[in-house]
Structures are given as structure tokens and as C-alpha cells.
Amino acid sequence: MAVIKGQAYGHGLIEVARALDSENLPFFGVANAAEARLLHEADIKTTPYLLGATLPSEREEIAARKWTPCLCSIDEISHFNSLGSQKMHPIKAHLALDTGMGRGGFLPEQLGSALEKLKNSPGIQLTGVGSHLPVADEDPTFTTTQYQLFDDLIASIPRPTNTPFHIHLANSAGLLNFKSQTTNLTRPGLMLYGASPIPDKQPLLRPAMTLKSQISVINHLPKGHGVSYGRTILSRDTKAAVLGIGYGDGYPRALSKQNTQVLIHNTPCPVIGRVTMDQLIVDITDLKHDCHPGDEAILFGKNLLVTDLAQKANTIPWEILTQLTPRVTRIYC
Ligand SMILES: *Cc1c(COP(=O)(O)O)cnc(C)c1O
């Protein structure tokens, strides 16, 4: 399952869906009915899979368009059962198990009653079961126990023989770090886009996105002059390049004064002063290369990892990627 929620982690929902639509994947993982509808309207063939509990108001459309929900509560089972019964075709759905995430799904001790309820729900055809990993990139002991628990729980779930039955647990970190005895499907998100949740595994991946801007103006500022809001005072005469990008594009303001760098002519240059909404300022005093307005600056990409930026901004790469705004023109190669 390719996870393409959140505008495909900021890369562009429809473009990524089109790129992957011919790969014969069973599912595209999306957050909600609105994202699934965008895929539908773009004529994407791969089935949307709703990664979380659905809202009551979304279920009619999910049933009508044959998207796959994961059943997180008895309430959802009842509702989808009645929708499936009305529509005269059972709704294909997966069962969500909570093996530690605490965000939806049946606890191990509730599995029996969920299965009992499903047995009496002819409007639903169970075509899979999944669970989610809260600490696959942080706590191997807990995650190993979780895999064991999941494998054990799966044994008690009846499987149809006439249709594929999908069993899934791993996100990117799970896929990179763990092995399961039972699963036949994984749900990578972040790693699809070439960012690894586990630093050691980054060499296996190639970032899909490069965030670029350009120099608009180069200013020669004297020692003691201030730079940007809040007036960061220069401690030397400085050649300062202004880039046409800021937090209004999704470049985090939290990267101000964190020894953040950008690449200009392949050379790291420090961001100085506060990141503003539309512009930021870079110290190019030590840059050997001649610089001119229009020259390209790389904010992150292959040689400047979004994961490292995230750490400096005290956040995670998922957040930086999904918060890139529509003002950033996406160019696809
Ligand atoms: C977002 C999400 C994923 C993908 O997670 P990554 O860490 O980006 O690989 C997988 N499963 C579920 C249920 C999710 O919500």
C-alpha cells in the first residue's frame, strides 16, 4: 500500500497517484473521504484505503464508491453493515486492531466480540486486518512484542479462501527494521519519498523532493547592522543573499538561528536572522563562487536532508514535508 495522504507528504496527491497507479498496488493509503474523492475525480484506478476511523458523515460515500475502510469500532461495523445491506453488495473492509497505538481499533480482549459482530453483519465482507506501530523508530523492544502479539491475534481471525486477505502492520520504520511471520502487505509513507525515519537506513533511499529557491538580491552590510525581524546584529561585514522563500512556503520559522544552512553552488551557507514569511537571508561572505540574483539555492534535498532540518527545527520530516504550502511550485521530473 502506497501511503499518499497529506498531498502525498507534500509531493502532490494526484501526481504521485498517477505515477504509482500502474504499479498494481492493492491500495493507496489516504486520511479521509475528501482525499479519496480527489483520487476518484482524477480517475485513479487504485483503491483508496482509509487509514483511520471514518466519520459517520463519510460512510455513505465510502460504501457507494467501494473504497476500503478499516473498522475501528462496533459503531462503524453496524453502520457499514446497514449501508452494505441497503446497497445489496457487501462492503469490503479491514478490521483495525489496537496493539499499542491507542488511536483506534479493537483491543486484543475486544477482538472476540468484534468477530462475533462481523459474523452477524452480512453487509460487510472482511478482506483484511491491520494494526499500527507507535514506536517502530524508537523502541525495538516494545515493537518486537507488538509484532508477536499481532501475529498471535491473526491466528484467530477467519480468512476467506475466495478473495485476497490483506494482513498489515508496518509503516516505514516497521518495514525497515522488523520482520513479521504473518503480514502480506506493508504501508510505507515517508520512505516512499526517500526520507528514512531511521538515520542508518537513509543510504538505502533517495529523496524524491528537492526544495529550491533563488537569490533575489545580494546586500553588502556593515558590521553592527541588523538583519531581519528582531535585528540579529552582524558581527562582521557581511555579504548577505536574500532568498525568495520563507515560512509562508512551509520553510519552518523555527529554523531561524539554528545554524541552518542552504546550499548555493553546492556550498553550505548559513541562514542568518529570522526566517520571514516570504524571504530569508543567507550569509555568503565566505562563498568562493561568484553569486548573482537568480542563482539557485537548495533548502533541502539529496545533499541536505529534510530529516536533519527537521531535527534543527525540533520537529519531524513528516511535518516539514506536509506543511509545504501551495505557493511552492511543484515541478515533476
Ligand atoms: C501515515 C500512516 C502510515 C505511514 O507511515 P510512515 O511512517 O510515513 O511510513 C502507515 N500506516 C498508518 C495507519 C498511517 O496513518
PDB file of all heavy atoms in Angstrom, residues 1-5 9 29-31 49-52 70 101 103 131-133 137 168-175 186-193 195 197 318, ligand 1:
ATOM      1  N   MET A   1       0.853  -1.180   0.000  1.00  0.00           N
ATOM      2  CA  MET A   1       0.000   0.000   0.000  1.00  0.00           C
ATOM      3  C   MET A   1       0.892   1.234   0.000  1.00  0.00           C
ATOM      4  O   MET A   1       1.719   1.394   0.886  1.00  0.00           O
ATOM      5  CB  MET A   1      -0.873  -0.006   1.273  1.00  0.00           C
ATOM      6  CG  MET A   1      -1.773   1.199   1.369  1.00  0.00           C
ATOM      7  SD  MET A   1      -2.661   1.409   2.946  1.00  0.00           S
ATOM      8  CE  MET A   1      -3.303  -0.215   3.299  1.00  0.00           C
ATOM      9  N   ALA A   2       0.730   2.055  -1.014  1.00  0.00           N
ATOM     10  CA  ALA A   2       1.483   3.313  -1.008  1.00  0.00           C
ATOM     11  C   ALA A   2       0.685   4.340  -0.213  1.00  0.00           C
ATOM     12  O   ALA A   2      -0.464   4.630  -0.543  1.00  0.00           O
ATOM     13  CB  ALA A   2       1.698   3.804  -2.431  1.00  0.00           C
ATOM     14  N   VAL A   3       1.278   4.889   0.832  1.00  0.00           N
ATOM     15  CA  VAL A   3       0.573   5.883   1.650  1.00  0.00           C
ATOM     16  C   VAL A   3       0.784   7.261   1.013  1.00  0.00           C
ATOM     17  O   VAL A   3       1.912   7.749   0.925  1.00  0.00           O
ATOM     18  CB  VAL A   3       1.060   5.831   3.110  1.00  0.00           C
ATOM     19  CG1 VAL A   3       0.399   6.940   3.927  1.00  0.00           C
ATOM     20  CG2 VAL A   3       0.747   4.462   3.712  1.00  0.00           C
ATOM     21  N   ILE A   4      -0.312   7.836   0.536  1.00  0.00           N
ATOM     22  CA  ILE A   4      -0.218   9.111  -0.196  1.00  0.00           C
ATOM     23  C   ILE A   4      -1.098  10.196   0.431  1.00  0.00           C
ATOM     24  O   ILE A   4      -1.455  11.163  -0.217  1.00  0.00           O
ATOM     25  CB  ILE A   4      -0.541   8.924  -1.698  1.00  0.00           C
ATOM     26  CG1 ILE A   4      -1.946   8.361  -1.913  1.00  0.00           C
ATOM     27  CG2 ILE A   4       0.483   7.993  -2.346  1.00  0.00           C
ATOM     28  CD1 ILE A   4      -2.384   8.379  -3.381  1.00  0.00           C
ATOM     29  N   LYS A   5      -1.427  10.003   1.697  1.00  0.00           N
ATOM     30  CA  LYS A   5      -2.197  11.026   2.419  1.00  0.00           C
ATOM     31  C   LYS A   5      -1.390  12.332   2.491  1.00  0.00           C
ATOM     32  O   LYS A   5      -0.191  12.353   2.213  1.00  0.00           O
ATOM     33  CB  LYS A   5      -2.499  10.513   3.830  1.00  0.00           C
ATOM     34  CG  LYS A   5      -1.240  10.289   4.679  1.00  0.00           C
ATOM     35  CD  LYS A   5      -1.550   9.615   6.002  1.00  0.00           C
ATOM     36  CE  LYS A   5      -0.268   9.342   6.781  1.00  0.00           C
ATOM     37  NZ  LYS A   5      -0.508   8.533   7.980  1.00  0.00           N
ATOM     38  N   TYR A   9       2.484  13.503   1.206  1.00  0.00           N
ATOM     39  CA  TYR A   9       3.540  14.081   2.027  1.00  0.00           C
ATOM     40  C   TYR A   9       4.109  15.344   1.360  1.00  0.00           C
ATOM     41  O   TYR A   9       5.322  15.555   1.301  1.00  0.00           O
ATOM     42  CB  TYR A   9       4.647  13.055   2.299  1.00  0.00           C
ATOM     43  CG  TYR A   9       4.225  11.902   3.196  1.00  0.00           C
ATOM     44  CD1 TYR A   9       3.063  11.192   2.949  1.00  0.00           C
ATOM     45  CD2 TYR A   9       4.998  11.516   4.286  1.00  0.00           C
ATOM     46  CE1 TYR A   9       2.673  10.134   3.767  1.00  0.00           C
ATOM     47  CE2 TYR A   9       4.616  10.465   5.114  1.00  0.00           C
ATOM     48  CZ  TYR A   9       3.456   9.783   4.839  1.00  0.00           C
ATOM     49  OH  TYR A   9       3.072   8.736   5.650  1.00  0.00           O
ATOM     50  N   GLY A  29      -3.079   4.497   0.496  1.00  0.00           N
ATOM     51  CA  GLY A  29      -3.483   4.899   1.837  1.00  0.00           C
ATOM     52  C   GLY A  29      -3.789   6.387   1.889  1.00  0.00           C
ATOM     53  O   GLY A  29      -2.939   7.206   1.542  1.00  0.00           O
ATOM     54  N   VAL A  30      -5.014   6.734   2.310  1.00  0.00           N
ATOM     55  CA  VAL A  30      -5.422   8.135   2.435  1.00  0.00           C
ATOM     56  C   VAL A  30      -6.002   8.375   3.827  1.00  0.00           C
ATOM     57  O   VAL A  30      -6.329   7.430   4.549  1.00  0.00           O
ATOM     58  CB  VAL A  30      -6.461   8.532   1.358  1.00  0.00           C
ATOM     59  CG1 VAL A  30      -5.863   8.436  -0.040  1.00  0.00           C
ATOM     60  CG2 VAL A  30      -7.728   7.697   1.465  1.00  0.00           C
ATOM     61  N   ALA A  31      -6.131   9.656   4.175  1.00  0.00           N
ATOM     62  CA  ALA A  31      -6.565  10.010   5.527  1.00  0.00           C
ATOM     63  C   ALA A  31      -8.076  10.027   5.668  1.00  0.00           C
ATOM     64  O   ALA A  31      -8.612   9.688   6.721  1.00  0.00           O
ATOM     65  CB  ALA A  31      -5.997  11.382   5.907  1.00  0.00           C
ATOM     66  N   TYR A  49      -7.652   3.355   0.483  1.00  0.00           N
ATOM     67  CA  TYR A  49      -7.822   2.717   1.791  1.00  0.00           C
ATOM     68  C   TYR A  49      -7.803   3.814   2.846  1.00  0.00           C
ATOM     69  O   TYR A  49      -6.864   4.617   2.895  1.00  0.00           O
ATOM     70  CB  TYR A  49      -6.684   1.720   2.034  1.00  0.00           C
ATOM     71  CG  TYR A  49      -6.725   1.058   3.397  1.00  0.00           C
ATOM     72  CD1 TYR A  49      -7.404  -0.139   3.586  1.00  0.00           C
ATOM     73  CD2 TYR A  49      -6.077   1.638   4.493  1.00  0.00           C
ATOM     74  CE1 TYR A  49      -7.445  -0.746   4.841  1.00  0.00           C
ATOM     75  CE2 TYR A  49      -6.121   1.036   5.749  1.00  0.00           C
ATOM     76  CZ  TYR A  49      -6.799  -0.150   5.910  1.00  0.00           C
ATOM     77  OH  TYR A  49      -6.844  -0.750   7.152  1.00  0.00           O
ATOM     78  N   LEU A  50      -8.858   3.850   3.669  1.00  0.00           N
ATOM     79  CA  LEU A  50      -8.967   4.871   4.711  1.00  0.00           C
ATOM     80  C   LEU A  50      -8.151   4.424   5.918  1.00  0.00           C
ATOM     81  O   LEU A  50      -8.511   3.430   6.569  1.00  0.00           O
ATOM     82  CB  LEU A  50     -10.422   5.088   5.112  1.00  0.00           C
ATOM     83  CG  LEU A  50     -11.363   5.853   4.171  1.00  0.00           C
ATOM     84  CD1 LEU A  50     -10.869   7.275   3.955  1.00  0.00           C
ATOM     85  CD2 LEU A  50     -11.594   5.178   2.846  1.00  0.00           C
ATOM     86  N   LEU A  51      -7.096   5.162   6.237  1.00  0.00           N
ATOM     87  CA  LEU A  51      -6.133   4.702   7.236  1.00  0.00           C
ATOM     88  C   LEU A  51      -6.619   4.833   8.679  1.00  0.00           C
ATOM     89  O   LEU A  51      -6.048   4.228   9.578  1.00  0.00           O
ATOM     90  CB  LEU A  51      -4.830   5.482   7.090  1.00  0.00           C
ATOM     91  CG  LEU A  51      -3.970   5.100   5.869  1.00  0.00           C
ATOM     92  CD1 LEU A  51      -2.997   6.226   5.547  1.00  0.00           C
ATOM     93  CD2 LEU A  51      -3.239   3.799   6.086  1.00  0.00           C
ATOM     94  N   GLY A  52      -7.648   5.641   8.895  1.00  0.00           N
ATOM     95  CA  GLY A  52      -8.124   5.821  10.267  1.00  0.00           C
ATOM     96  C   GLY A  52      -9.624   5.620  10.352  1.00  0.00           C
ATOM     97  O   GLY A  52     -10.285   5.341   9.342  1.00  0.00           O
ATOM     98  N   CYS A  70     -11.117   0.852   7.341  1.00  0.00           N
ATOM     99  CA  CYS A  70     -10.726  -0.095   8.390  1.00  0.00           C
ATOM    100  C   CYS A  70     -11.696   0.117   9.542  1.00  0.00           C
ATOM    101  O   CYS A  70     -11.977   1.242   9.945  1.00  0.00           O
ATOM    102  CB  CYS A  70      -9.279   0.094   8.814  1.00  0.00           C
ATOM    103  SG  CYS A  70      -8.883   1.668   9.571  1.00  0.00           S
ATOM    104  N   MET A 101      -1.189   1.470  19.635  1.00  0.00           N
ATOM    105  CA  MET A 101      -1.194   2.841  19.118  1.00  0.00           C
ATOM    106  C   MET A 101      -2.191   3.726  19.872  1.00  0.00           C
ATOM    107  O   MET A 101      -1.983   4.930  20.013  1.00  0.00           O
ATOM    108  CB  MET A 101      -1.511   2.818  17.619  1.00  0.00           C
ATOM    109  CG  MET A 101      -1.539   4.171  16.952  1.00  0.00           C
ATOM    110  SD  MET A 101       0.113   4.925  16.840  1.00  0.00           S
ATOM    111  CE  MET A 101      -0.294   6.511  16.112  1.00  0.00           C
ATOM    112  N   ARG A 103      -5.154   4.735  18.957  1.00  0.00           N
ATOM    113  CA  ARG A 103      -5.753   5.747  18.100  1.00  0.00           C
ATOM    114  C   ARG A 103      -6.942   5.180  17.334  1.00  0.00           C
ATOM    115  O   ARG A 103      -7.455   5.777  16.405  1.00  0.00           O
ATOM    116  CB  ARG A 103      -4.684   6.268  17.131  1.00  0.00           C
ATOM    117  CG  ARG A 103      -5.005   7.556  16.416  1.00  0.00           C
ATOM    118  CD  ARG A 103      -3.863   8.028  15.529  1.00  0.00           C
ATOM    119  NE  ARG A 103      -3.623   7.162  14.394  1.00  0.00           N
ATOM    120  CZ  ARG A 103      -2.749   7.424  13.421  1.00  0.00           C
ATOM    121  NH1 ARG A 103      -2.034   8.518  13.465  1.00  0.00           N
ATOM    122  NH2 ARG A 103      -2.569   6.589  12.423  1.00  0.00           N
ATOM    123  N   SER A 131      -2.915  -3.277  11.907  1.00  0.00           N
ATOM    124  CA  SER A 131      -2.658  -2.590  13.163  1.00  0.00           C
ATOM    125  C   SER A 131      -1.544  -1.588  12.895  1.00  0.00           C
ATOM    126  O   SER A 131      -1.021  -1.540  11.776  1.00  0.00           O
ATOM    127  CB  SER A 131      -2.270  -3.599  14.248  1.00  0.00           C
ATOM    128  OG  SER A 131      -2.217  -2.962  15.507  1.00  0.00           O
ATOM    129  N   HIS A 132      -1.209  -0.774  13.885  1.00  0.00           N
ATOM    130  CA  HIS A 132      -0.238   0.293  13.622  1.00  0.00           C
ATOM    131  C   HIS A 132       0.822   0.338  14.715  1.00  0.00           C
ATOM    132  O   HIS A 132       0.582  -0.075  15.848  1.00  0.00           O
ATOM    133  CB  HIS A 132      -0.982   1.631  13.509  1.00  0.00           C
ATOM    134  CG  HIS A 132      -0.179   2.728  12.877  1.00  0.00           C
ATOM    135  ND1 HIS A 132       0.815   2.507  11.957  1.00  0.00           N
ATOM    136  CD2 HIS A 132      -0.244   4.086  13.034  1.00  0.00           C
ATOM    137  CE1 HIS A 132       1.335   3.677  11.578  1.00  0.00           C
ATOM    138  NE2 HIS A 132       0.701   4.645  12.210  1.00  0.00           N
ATOM    139  N   LEU A 133       1.988   0.861  14.340  1.00  0.00           N
ATOM    140  CA  LEU A 133       3.167   0.861  15.216  1.00  0.00           C
ATOM    141  C   LEU A 133       3.476   2.272  15.718  1.00  0.00           C
ATOM    142  O   LEU A 133       3.802   3.140  14.919  1.00  0.00           O
ATOM    143  CB  LEU A 133       4.387   0.362  14.424  1.00  0.00           C
ATOM    144  CG  LEU A 133       4.269  -1.004  13.752  1.00  0.00           C
ATOM    145  CD1 LEU A 133       5.449  -1.218  12.801  1.00  0.00           C
ATOM    146  CD2 LEU A 133       4.222  -2.110  14.797  1.00  0.00           C
ATOM    147  N   ASP A 137      10.391   3.382  15.279  1.00  0.00           N
ATOM    148  CA  ASP A 137      11.689   4.050  15.093  1.00  0.00           C
ATOM    149  C   ASP A 137      12.340   4.416  16.425  1.00  0.00           C
ATOM    150  O   ASP A 137      13.368   5.077  16.454  1.00  0.00           O
ATOM    151  CB  ASP A 137      11.512   5.311  14.228  1.00  0.00           C
ATOM    152  CG  ASP A 137      10.405   6.231  14.739  1.00  0.00           C
ATOM    153  OD1 ASP A 137       9.670   5.841  15.672  1.00  0.00           O
ATOM    154  OD2 ASP A 137      10.282   7.353  14.198  1.00  0.00           O
ATOM    155  N   HIS A 168      -1.643  -6.497   7.606  1.00  0.00           N
ATOM    156  CA  HIS A 168      -0.638  -5.432   7.529  1.00  0.00           C
ATOM    157  C   HIS A 168      -0.421  -4.725   8.850  1.00  0.00           C
ATOM    158  O   HIS A 168      -1.346  -4.515   9.623  1.00  0.00           O
ATOM    159  CB  HIS A 168      -1.012  -4.420   6.444  1.00  0.00           C
ATOM    160  CG  HIS A 168      -2.440  -3.934   6.499  1.00  0.00           C
ATOM    161  ND1 HIS A 168      -2.792  -2.726   7.033  1.00  0.00           N
ATOM    162  CD2 HIS A 168      -3.598  -4.510   6.084  1.00  0.00           C
ATOM    163  CE1 HIS A 168      -4.101  -2.565   6.934  1.00  0.00           C
ATOM    164  NE2 HIS A 168      -4.619  -3.638   6.369  1.00  0.00           N
ATOM    165  N   LEU A 169       0.836  -4.366   9.078  1.00  0.00           N
ATOM    166  CA  LEU A 169       1.231  -3.760  10.344  1.00  0.00           C
ATOM    167  C   LEU A 169       2.265  -2.647  10.137  1.00  0.00           C
ATOM    168  O   LEU A 169       2.215  -1.625  10.810  1.00  0.00           O
ATOM    169  CB  LEU A 169       1.814  -4.864  11.247  1.00  0.00           C
ATOM    170  CG  LEU A 169       2.337  -4.473  12.625  1.00  0.00           C
ATOM    171  CD1 LEU A 169       1.253  -3.812  13.455  1.00  0.00           C
ATOM    172  CD2 LEU A 169       2.847  -5.727  13.355  1.00  0.00           C
ATOM    173  N   ALA A 170       3.180  -2.826   9.186  1.00  0.00           N
ATOM    174  CA  ALA A 170       4.364  -1.959   9.128  1.00  0.00           C
ATOM    175  C   ALA A 170       4.137  -0.639   8.410  1.00  0.00           C
ATOM    176  O   ALA A 170       3.605  -0.594   7.313  1.00  0.00           O
ATOM    177  CB  ALA A 170       5.511  -2.699   8.453  1.00  0.00           C
ATOM    178  N   ASN A 171       4.565   0.440   9.043  1.00  0.00           N
ATOM    179  CA  ASN A 171       4.816   1.720   8.383  1.00  0.00           C
ATOM    180  C   ASN A 171       6.272   1.681   7.894  1.00  0.00           C
ATOM    181  O   ASN A 171       6.911   0.621   7.901  1.00  0.00           O
ATOM    182  CB  ASN A 171       4.555   2.871   9.360  1.00  0.00           C
ATOM    183  CG  ASN A 171       5.330   2.705  10.667  1.00  0.00           C
ATOM    184  OD1 ASN A 171       6.103   1.763  10.830  1.00  0.00           O
ATOM    185  ND2 ASN A 171       5.116   3.605  11.606  1.00  0.00           N
ATOM    186  N   SER A 172       6.826   2.819   7.518  1.00  0.00           N
ATOM    187  CA  SER A 172       8.208   2.834   7.015  1.00  0.00           C
ATOM    188  C   SER A 172       9.196   2.243   8.025  1.00  0.00           C
ATOM    189  O   SER A 172      10.005   1.381   7.681  1.00  0.00           O
ATOM    190  CB  SER A 172       8.646   4.260   6.676  1.00  0.00           C
ATOM    191  OG  SER A 172       7.847   4.807   5.652  1.00  0.00           O
ATOM    192  N   ALA A 173       9.117   2.711   9.248  1.00  0.00           N
ATOM    193  CA  ALA A 173      10.091   2.256  10.250  1.00  0.00           C
ATOM    194  C   ALA A 173       9.938   0.759  10.518  1.00  0.00           C
ATOM    195  O   ALA A 173      10.931   0.046  10.702  1.00  0.00           O
ATOM    196  CB  ALA A 173       9.929   3.048  11.551  1.00  0.00           C
ATOM    197  N   GLY A 174       8.704   0.269  10.512  1.00  0.00           N
ATOM    198  CA  GLY A 174       8.472  -1.164  10.698  1.00  0.00           C
ATOM    199  C   GLY A 174       9.070  -1.957   9.551  1.00  0.00           C
ATOM    200  O   GLY A 174       9.726  -2.984   9.750  1.00  0.00           O
ATOM    201  N   LEU A 175       8.852  -1.466   8.345  1.00  0.00           N
ATOM    202  CA  LEU A 175       9.348  -2.151   7.159  1.00  0.00           C
ATOM    203  C   LEU A 175      10.877  -2.173   7.130  1.00  0.00           C
ATOM    204  O   LEU A 175      11.494  -3.159   6.747  1.00  0.00           O
ATOM    205  CB  LEU A 175       8.790  -1.439   5.921  1.00  0.00           C
ATOM    206  CG  LEU A 175       9.119  -1.976   4.539  1.00  0.00           C
ATOM    207  CD1 LEU A 175       8.807  -3.453   4.421  1.00  0.00           C
ATOM    208  CD2 LEU A 175       8.327  -1.201   3.494  1.00  0.00           C
ATOM    209  N   THR A 186       2.473  -4.046   3.416  1.00  0.00           N
ATOM    210  CA  THR A 186       3.040  -3.016   4.289  1.00  0.00           C
ATOM    211  C   THR A 186       2.484  -1.661   3.864  1.00  0.00           C
ATOM    212  O   THR A 186       1.928  -1.527   2.777  1.00  0.00           O
ATOM    213  CB  THR A 186       4.583  -2.972   4.204  1.00  0.00           C
ATOM    214  OG1 THR A 186       4.962  -2.768   2.848  1.00  0.00           O
ATOM    215  CG2 THR A 186       5.190  -4.276   4.720  1.00  0.00           C
ATOM    216  N   ARG A 187       2.654  -0.679   4.739  1.00  0.00           N
ATOM    217  CA  ARG A 187       2.086   0.649   4.473  1.00  0.00           C
ATOM    218  C   ARG A 187       3.158   1.735   4.554  1.00  0.00           C
ATOM    219  O   ARG A 187       3.101   2.614   5.414  1.00  0.00           O
ATOM    220  CB  ARG A 187       0.979   0.950   5.489  1.00  0.00           C
ATOM    221  CG  ARG A 187      -0.151  -0.080   5.567  1.00  0.00           C
ATOM    222  CD  ARG A 187      -1.245   0.412   6.525  1.00  0.00           C
ATOM    223  NE  ARG A 187      -0.693   0.815   7.794  1.00  0.00           N
ATOM    224  CZ  ARG A 187      -0.596   0.045   8.880  1.00  0.00           C
ATOM    225  NH1 ARG A 187      -1.058  -1.190   8.865  1.00  0.00           N
ATOM    226  NH2 ARG A 187      -0.052   0.522   9.980  1.00  0.00           N
ATOM    227  N   PRO A 188       4.147   1.722   3.670  1.00  0.00           N
ATOM    228  CA  PRO A 188       5.170   2.767   3.740  1.00  0.00           C
ATOM    229  C   PRO A 188       4.643   4.119   3.291  1.00  0.00           C
ATOM    230  O   PRO A 188       3.930   4.216   2.298  1.00  0.00           O
ATOM    231  CB  PRO A 188       6.258   2.272   2.780  1.00  0.00           C
ATOM    232  CG  PRO A 188       5.521   1.422   1.798  1.00  0.00           C
ATOM    233  CD  PRO A 188       4.389   0.783   2.566  1.00  0.00           C
ATOM    234  N   GLY A 189       4.993   5.156   4.050  1.00  0.00           N
ATOM    235  CA  GLY A 189       4.690   6.525   3.660  1.00  0.00           C
ATOM    236  C   GLY A 189       6.002   7.257   3.441  1.00  0.00           C
ATOM    237  O   GLY A 189       6.524   7.323   2.332  1.00  0.00           O
ATOM    238  N   LEU A 190       6.576   7.750   4.525  1.00  0.00           N
ATOM    239  CA  LEU A 190       7.774   8.598   4.439  1.00  0.00           C
ATOM    240  C   LEU A 190       8.859   8.026   3.529  1.00  0.00           C
ATOM    241  O   LEU A 190       9.444   8.739   2.720  1.00  0.00           O
ATOM    242  CB  LEU A 190       8.339   8.820   5.852  1.00  0.00           C
ATOM    243  CG  LEU A 190       9.462   9.848   5.938  1.00  0.00           C
ATOM    244  CD1 LEU A 190       8.927  11.253   5.680  1.00  0.00           C
ATOM    245  CD2 LEU A 190      10.154   9.790   7.295  1.00  0.00           C
ATOM    246  N   MET A 191       9.129   6.733   3.641  1.00  0.00           N
ATOM    247  CA  MET A 191      10.254   6.184   2.866  1.00  0.00           C
ATOM    248  C   MET A 191       9.983   6.149   1.364  1.00  0.00           C
ATOM    249  O   MET A 191      10.914   6.151   0.571  1.00  0.00           O
ATOM    250  CB  MET A 191      10.655   4.796   3.385  1.00  0.00           C
ATOM    251  CG  MET A 191       9.649   3.719   3.138  1.00  0.00           C
ATOM    252  SD  MET A 191      10.216   2.096   3.765  1.00  0.00           S
ATOM    253  CE  MET A 191      11.405   1.629   2.514  1.00  0.00           C
ATOM    254  N   LEU A 192       8.696   6.138   1.003  1.00  0.00           N
ATOM    255  CA  LEU A 192       8.350   6.206  -0.424  1.00  0.00           C
ATOM    256  C   LEU A 192       8.942   7.448  -1.065  1.00  0.00           C
ATOM    257  O   LEU A 192       9.254   7.472  -2.258  1.00  0.00           O
ATOM    258  CB  LEU A 192       6.834   6.339  -0.595  1.00  0.00           C
ATOM    259  CG  LEU A 192       5.935   5.157  -0.733  1.00  0.00           C
ATOM    260  CD1 LEU A 192       4.537   5.666  -1.028  1.00  0.00           C
ATOM    261  CD2 LEU A 192       6.416   4.251  -1.847  1.00  0.00           C
ATOM    262  N   TYR A 193       9.044   8.496  -0.262  1.00  0.00           N
ATOM    263  CA  TYR A 193       9.510   9.783  -0.755  1.00  0.00           C
ATOM    264  C   TYR A 193      11.003   9.961  -0.513  1.00  0.00           C
ATOM    265  O   TYR A 193      11.553  11.041  -0.697  1.00  0.00           O
ATOM    266  CB  TYR A 193       8.677  10.905  -0.108  1.00  0.00           C
ATOM    267  CG  TYR A 193       7.201  10.606  -0.259  1.00  0.00           C
ATOM    268  CD1 TYR A 193       6.481   9.992   0.765  1.00  0.00           C
ATOM    269  CD2 TYR A 193       6.561  10.828  -1.469  1.00  0.00           C
ATOM    270  CE1 TYR A 193       5.153   9.641   0.602  1.00  0.00           C
ATOM    271  CE2 TYR A 193       5.230  10.484  -1.645  1.00  0.00           C
ATOM    272  CZ  TYR A 193       4.529   9.885  -0.601  1.00  0.00           C
ATOM    273  OH  TYR A 193       3.219   9.535  -0.780  1.00  0.00           O
ATOM    274  N   ALA A 195      12.816   9.621   2.333  1.00  0.00           N
ATOM    275  CA  ALA A 195      13.307  10.062   3.646  1.00  0.00           C
ATOM    276  C   ALA A 195      13.169   8.894   4.606  1.00  0.00           C
ATOM    277  O   ALA A 195      12.120   8.250   4.653  1.00  0.00           O
ATOM    278  CB  ALA A 195      12.513  11.264   4.147  1.00  0.00           C
ATOM    279  N   PRO A 197      12.934   7.228   8.342  1.00  0.00           N
ATOM    280  CA  PRO A 197      12.690   7.531   9.754  1.00  0.00           C
ATOM    281  C   PRO A 197      13.839   7.025  10.623  1.00  0.00           C
ATOM    282  O   PRO A 197      13.936   7.396  11.778  1.00  0.00           O
ATOM    283  CB  PRO A 197      11.406   6.760  10.063  1.00  0.00           C
ATOM    284  CG  PRO A 197      11.336   5.677   9.036  1.00  0.00           C
ATOM    285  CD  PRO A 197      12.061   6.167   7.823  1.00  0.00           C
ATOM    286  N   TRP A 318       8.068  14.396   8.480  1.00  0.00           N
ATOM    287  CA  TRP A 318       6.675  14.297   8.054  1.00  0.00           C
ATOM    288  C   TRP A 318       6.022  15.685   8.087  1.00  0.00           C
ATOM    289  O   TRP A 318       5.287  16.053   7.194  1.00  0.00           O
ATOM    290  CB  TRP A 318       5.877  13.382   8.997  1.00  0.00           C
ATOM    291  CG  TRP A 318       6.214  11.937   9.000  1.00  0.00           C
ATOM    292  CD1 TRP A 318       5.569  10.938   8.319  1.00  0.00           C
ATOM    293  CD2 TRP A 318       7.244  11.287   9.768  1.00  0.00           C
ATOM    294  NE1 TRP A 318       6.134   9.718   8.602  1.00  0.00           N
ATOM    295  CE2 TRP A 318       7.163   9.900   9.489  1.00  0.00           C
ATOM    296  CE3 TRP A 318       8.230  11.732  10.647  1.00  0.00           C
ATOM    297  CZ2 TRP A 318       8.020   8.953  10.066  1.00  0.00           C
ATOM    298  CZ3 TRP A 318       9.077  10.795  11.214  1.00  0.00           C
ATOM    299  CH2 TRP A 318       8.967   9.435  10.919  1.00  0.00           C
TER     300      TRP A 318
HETATM  301  C1  LIG B   1       0.551   7.591   7.940  1.00  0.00           C
HETATM  302  C2  LIG B   1       0.415   6.146   8.191  1.00  0.00           C
HETATM  303  C3  LIG B   1       1.368   5.238   7.681  1.00  0.00           C
HETATM  304  C4  LIG B   1       2.640   5.673   7.009  1.00  0.00           C
HETATM  305  O1  LIG B   1       3.592   5.987   7.991  1.00  0.00           O
HETATM  306  P1  LIG B   1       5.091   6.370   7.629  1.00  0.00           P
HETATM  307  O2  LIG B   1       5.759   6.465   8.942  1.00  0.00           O
HETATM  308  O3  LIG B   1       5.058   7.682   6.913  1.00  0.00           O
HETATM  309  O4  LIG B   1       5.641   5.279   6.772  1.00  0.00           O
HETATM  310  C5  LIG B   1       1.103   3.890   7.843  1.00  0.00           C
HETATM  311  N1  LIG B   1       0.006   3.458   8.490  1.00  0.00           N
HETATM  312  C6  LIG B   1      -0.897   4.307   9.006  1.00  0.00           C
HETATM  313  C7  LIG B   1      -2.089   3.752   9.719  1.00  0.00           C
HETATM  314  C8  LIG B   1      -0.721   5.661   8.890  1.00  0.00           C
HETATM  315  O5  LIG B   1      -1.612   6.501   9.434  1.00  0.00           O
END
